[in-house]
Amino acid sequence: MGSKVRNIRMTQTKQSLINAFVNLVSEKDFEKITIADLTKGAKVNRATFYAHFNDKYELLDYILGDSASAAIVNRTKGEVKFDQDTISQLVLALCDFYQQPNIQCRSSYVGLVVPQMKDKILNELKVFLSQSLEHIYTNDEKNIYVPIFAQVIHEGALQWAVGSTVMSKEEVAKRVSLFVVSGFQSSDRTLS
């Protein structure tokens, strides 16, 4: 079998497992979902599941990571740069990510999924910011600024997502991007 056909089949199988998981989480608590439930829903055998994932936790991790990455790419159109518009789009990407999780959370998922969502989106955000600041800061400087910028962007989006502000997500994005860019410009002046 050619590698292209194998890759398409693997992608389709993974998507079937993801779809089965998404369908099951609306019906069952995470702890009660079994591999048998997933394989039945995806119409694959147990060995096929284990060829893709070690367990249901790895499947959840994959779903959240893929969703986080997609949210950022969708808003930034894959263009990696550090300016006010891009920072604004990153805030909106995080709002999108928190607004539309692939998992319609039952109350039993909140403790499991929300911390994992935060970790995934922060990691993706740090990767993006690190790449966008590649030619601006040294590695030591990036090690300081990237986590700070990521936390500010994340916190702005999270405040909107949990309803802690009456501002629209666009207004939050505008204010956070102004704050981050002005902090960036201030730090840049002090380095000169």
Side-chain angles (χ1 to χ4, degrees):
M1 175 177 4
S3 65
K4 187 174 182 179
V5 172
R6 192 175 319 120
N7 288 342
I8 291 170
R9 187 173 290 158
M10 287 185 77
T11 301
Q12 290 171 337
T13 302
K14 269 189 175 176
Q15 191 58 52
S16 295
L17 290 165
I18 290 166
N19 293 343
F21 183 81
V22 170
N23 291 335
L24 283 166
V25 296
S26 63
E27 301 167 8
K28 286 184 161 186
D29 287 340
F30 182 78
E31 300 79 29
K32 293 182 181 178
I33 294 175
T34 65
I35 301 304
D37 293 333
L38 292 165
T39 57
K40 181 180 177 187
K43 297 182 175 106
V44 298
N45 65 38
R46 201 171 181 83
T48 301
F49 175 88
Y50 287 115
H52 295 279
F53 303 103
N54 291 323
D55 54 29
K56 65 184 179 183
Y57 296 95
E58 188 176 312
L59 173 58
L60 175 62
D61 190 59
Y62 178 82
I63 292 169
L64 293 176
D66 195 44
S67 180
S69 177
I72 290 174
V73 169
N74 287 342
R75 282 290 183 163
T76 62
K77 309 287 188 251
E79 192 174 338
V80 179
K81 58 185 180 176
F82 192 90
D83 60 18
Q84 189 173 342
D85 183 56
T86 303
I87 300 303
S88 182
Q89 292 305 311
L90 289 172
V91 174
L92 292 170
L94 272 67
C95 290
D96 294 345
F97 176 72
Y98 279 119
Q99 189 176 20
Q100 60 78 40
N102 287 335
I103 299 165
Q104 295 299 317
C105 290
R106 297 162 55 92
S107 60
S108 64
Y109 288 87
V110 174
L112 173 70
V113 174
V114 172
Q116 204 168 356
M117 287 179 78
K118 179 181 177 182
D119 289 346
K120 289 296 174 187
I121 198 68
L122 271 172
N123 286 339
E124 290 296 324
L125 189 54
K126 287 175 185 176
V127 167
F128 183 95
L129 290 169
S130 185
Q131 291 172 353
S132 69
L133 295 169
E134 189 68 35
H135 300 293
I136 299 170
Y137 287 131
T138 66
N139 283 338
D140 284 344
E141 292 167 332
K142 280 193 324 183
N143 289 340
I144 294 169
Y145 293 122
V146 166
I148 293 169
F149 292 152
Q151 287 293 335
V152 170
I153 293 166
H154 178 266
E155 190 60 30
L158 188 61
Q159 292 303 310
W160 175 84
V162 299
S164 293
T165 180
V166 294
M167 284 187 261
S168 69
K169 64 183 176 182
E170 292 78 14
E171 184 62 25
V172 169
K174 178 181 171 188
R175 291 179 185 224
V176 169
S177 65
L178 279 168
F179 182 77
V180 169
V181 170
S182 67
F184 166 74
Q185 291 168 343
S186 294
S187 69
D188 197 34
R189 277 194 295 266
T190 60
L191 293 173
S192 301

